[in-house]
Amino acid sequence: MASTLALILFTLTAAPPDEDLERDARRSLERGDYAESESIVRRLLENAGSGTKREAMLRAQLAHVLVLQGALDEAGRVIAAALEVSGSSDVRRIAALVHLRAQSYAEALPHLDAAIRSDPEDAWLRFSRGLALVKTGRPAEALEDLGRALRDPAMRRDAHFELALALAQLGEPRRAAAHLVAILEQDPYDDEACYQLSRQLIRAGDRDRARTAALLMRYFGALRERIGESTRDHHLAATGHAVGAAIERAARRERLGDLAGAHDELDDARRRHPDDPELALALAGFWLRRGLIAEANAELERLPPAAPAELADRRAELARAGSEIAARIDDDLRGRSAALAEARRRLADARWSDAREPLEEVLEAASTLDRPAIADDAARLLLARDPRSAPALRYLVDRTRDPSLLPPHLHFLARLAKAEPGNPAHERRRARLVEAILGK
């Protein structure tokens, strides 16, 4: 959302003499190279003219790029200078963002009020005002704004979360819990929502809710252990290393077992940085761990022939790993797991675009032979290839029946209900599970 605001400002500040610079600044921002974007905006400011609307908009853009790099004090000074020139809703929008990032919520509110008067349906503005109202002790006033923000898919998770906190402040733990359950239905790896849900269920005050809260806390502990304490991806993003940040986020998702999320992070980074060698190595490793040797080799071929020694060593290491995986599959073909090995060999030879059928075969064979590690991996990767895959969802619903896996069970059951709308039993099971979590 932050980068979207920045791109809007670039569009508004465009001027024919600076078209090339504007284009370079926009591309730098899209790549996550904030330092380069900052440098270009400063050059644009030199020719903006003093006291003009264009100067105000470029100063607002500069403040925004500084915020993205964590330079909040300087961003505050720059946006103050922009406001002296223009109090337009676009400048006030960035002023609000600066204050929100600095956690100066009371200072953000006047800017949000003014911007909302110009654009009352803007989901980001409504969410941001709701957040500021919650943080300044006015939760009842925040409910309408946060409810409006729920309509925007991009804001929905955060709106649910802040609504939960507002309702908790108002002494309504069950209503708060319902919003947190909605988050976990969409993302069972959201540790923040999991922790808050356990707290609200304890506050609800009955024995059944307390038991569910204990299960959630156990699951939360397992999540935190897998996630780890590193926030290095935020540092990398703020310093303009967008690829490194994406690789960190993908690795964290992979540790959680969210292969679809890990794939999406790497795939999105590939679209933005098609020639990055670190990304090619990261993707090659991801595909090898999934058994797609041909796809991994295609990534290794992207590396330049005269790559630096470190990259060449890593490429050679990954190539050896691919050969070892292929050899193990060949060995399995001569053993009792011939059907599974054949399916895995088909997967190894497939490219990602053609991987759905081999993945389904691996899933079926591994399930039949009671090889849960291979079946789990195939099911989760199949969801990255086909998010509505009924075989994968049915398998994962069954695999997460243990009470300690309540969030992923709810998540996969909700997805199965959408994937097979002609089977109302799935939706009935989902509704009963939600009712069991929240109570009556």
Side-chain angles (χ1 to χ4, degrees):
M1 179 60 69
S3 59
T4 301
L5 296 176
L7 290 172
I8 289 171
L9 278 180
F10 273 130
T11 301
L12 292 169
T13 55
D18 295 320
E19 280 182 356
D20 290 342
L21 280 178
E22 293 283 356
R23 190 180 306 111
D24 292 344
R26 188 179 298 110
R27 288 174 179 170
S28 297
L29 186 69
E30 290 172 341
R31 289 196 309 270
D33 190 345
Y34 303 137
E36 176 66 15
S37 186
E38 176 193 343
S39 173
I40 295 172
V41 173
R42 290 187 185 278
R43 288 167 60 191
L44 288 166
L45 265 169
E46 293 174 2
N47 301 317
S50 179
T52 64
K53 181 180 179 181
R54 177 168 172 76
E55 180 204 7
M57 297 299 293
L58 283 168
R59 288 193 183 282
Q61 177 55 48
L62 176 59
H64 196 159
V65 178
L66 289 167
V67 163
L68 293 175
Q69 296 175 90
L72 298 179
D73 290 341
E74 186 177 1
R77 293 190 291 272
V78 171
I79 197 63
L83 287 165
E84 289 179 3
V85 177
S86 171
S88 71
S89 62
D90 296 302
V91 174
R92 284 182 174 272
R93 177 190 289 260
I94 303 303
L97 175 66
V98 172
H99 287 300
L100 289 170
R101 288 292 183 92
Q103 299 184 14
S104 304
Y105 299 108
E107 289 81 355
L109 279 169
H111 300 297
L112 290 166
D113 289 339
I116 287 171
R117 282 194 292 272
S118 297
D119 192 357
E121 298 303 319
D122 186 288
W124 183 84
L125 291 172
R126 299 302 291 261
F127 167 78
S128 297
R129 186 168 70 177
L131 171 66
L133 289 168
V134 172
K135 298 296 187 182
T136 52
R138 298 157 63 183
E141 298 174 53
L143 298 182
E144 182 183 354
D145 281 333
L146 295 172
R148 291 276 194 99
L150 284 175
R151 301 173 187 174
D152 186 335
M155 305 301 308
R156 195 166 292 150
R157 182 271 173 198
D158 291 337
H160 272 304
F161 191 80
E162 294 303 329
L163 274 165
L165 296 186
L167 289 164
Q169 287 187 33
L170 293 169
E172 299 192 46
R174 276 193 171 84
R175 286 182 65 195
H179 287 285
L180 297 163
V181 166
I183 294 174
L184 291 174
E185 274 195 325
Q186 295 300 311
D187 182 3
Y189 311 107
D190 194 316
D191 58 317
E192 209 176 18
C194 183
Y195 176 72
Q196 286 296 335
L197 177 57
S198 69
R199 290 191 63 194
Q200 298 312 314
L201 293 179
I202 291 171
R203 291 184 64 196
D206 64 69
R207 187 175 299 175
D208 287 340
R209 305 292 78 67
R211 279 197 291 265
T212 303
L215 292 171
L216 287 165
M217 283 304 294
R218 188 184 308 168
Y219 177 75
F220 168 76
L223 274 185
R224 289 304 310 166
E225 186 177 348
R226 287 197 177 190
I227 290 171
E229 299 301 324
S230 173
T231 56
R232 187 165 172 260
D233 61 304
H234 300 297
H235 171 73
L236 288 167
T239 53
H241 296 87
V243 169
I247 292 172
E248 287 278 332
R249 291 193 299 271
R252 186 162 60 243
R253 282 282 169 180
E254 190 174 350
R255 289 196 299 272
L256 290 169
D258 180 14
L259 301 185
H263 172 265
D264 287 348
E265 289 284 0
L266 295 173
D267 194 47
D268 182 61
R270 160 54 47 77
R271 286 193 295 271
R272 296 170 184 267
H273 308 271
D275 301 318
D276 190 281
E278 287 289 340
L279 185 57
L281 287 168
L283 276 160
F286 177 80
W287 295 125
L288 277 180
R289 290 188 292 275
R290 311 282 78 81
L292 278 88
I293 299 174
E295 192 70 28
N297 288 337
E299 289 295 338
L300 295 178
E301 289 171 4
R302 286 176 173 267
L303 294 173
E310 181 186 353
L311 294 183
D313 289 345
R314 287 166 62 191
R315 174 169 54 187
E317 182 181 340
L318 288 168
R320 284 194 299 271
S323 299
E324 290 169 4
I325 292 170
R328 286 199 299 271
I329 292 173
D330 287 339
D331 287 342
D332 285 346
L333 277 171
R334 294 184 287 272
R336 67 179 182 85
S337 302
L340 175 57
E342 181 60 40
R344 293 178 69 192
R345 188 166 70 175
R346 281 197 62 201
L347 181 62
D349 293 338
R351 296 299 298 272
W352 179 236
S353 58
D354 302 316
R356 184 178 61 81
E357 287 187 11
L359 281 168
E360 289 178 346
E361 292 175 9
V362 171
L363 174 58
E364 182 178 2
S367 302
T368 302
L369 293 166
D370 194 24
R371 301 282 292 274
I374 295 175
D376 285 359
D377 209 54
R380 293 172 188 274
L381 191 59
L382 185 52
L383 290 179
R385 190 71 199 87
D386 177 11
R388 296 177 67 88
S389 170
L393 290 168
R394 282 195 295 269
Y395 171 81
L396 290 167
V397 165
D398 188 62
R399 280 283 293 166
T400 55
R401 287 180 183 276
D402 189 288
S404 65
L405 298 174
L406 179 59
H409 185 64
L410 174 63
H411 168 74
F412 293 124
L413 187 54
R415 289 179 67 174
L416 183 58
K418 290 181 179 178
E420 296 187 328
N423 187 344
H426 301 321
E427 177 56 31
R428 286 197 296 268
R429 287 173 61 195
R430 186 206 67 82
R432 285 197 300 268
L433 183 55
V434 171
E435 184 177 304
I437 295 170
L438 298 176
K440 296 182 180 179

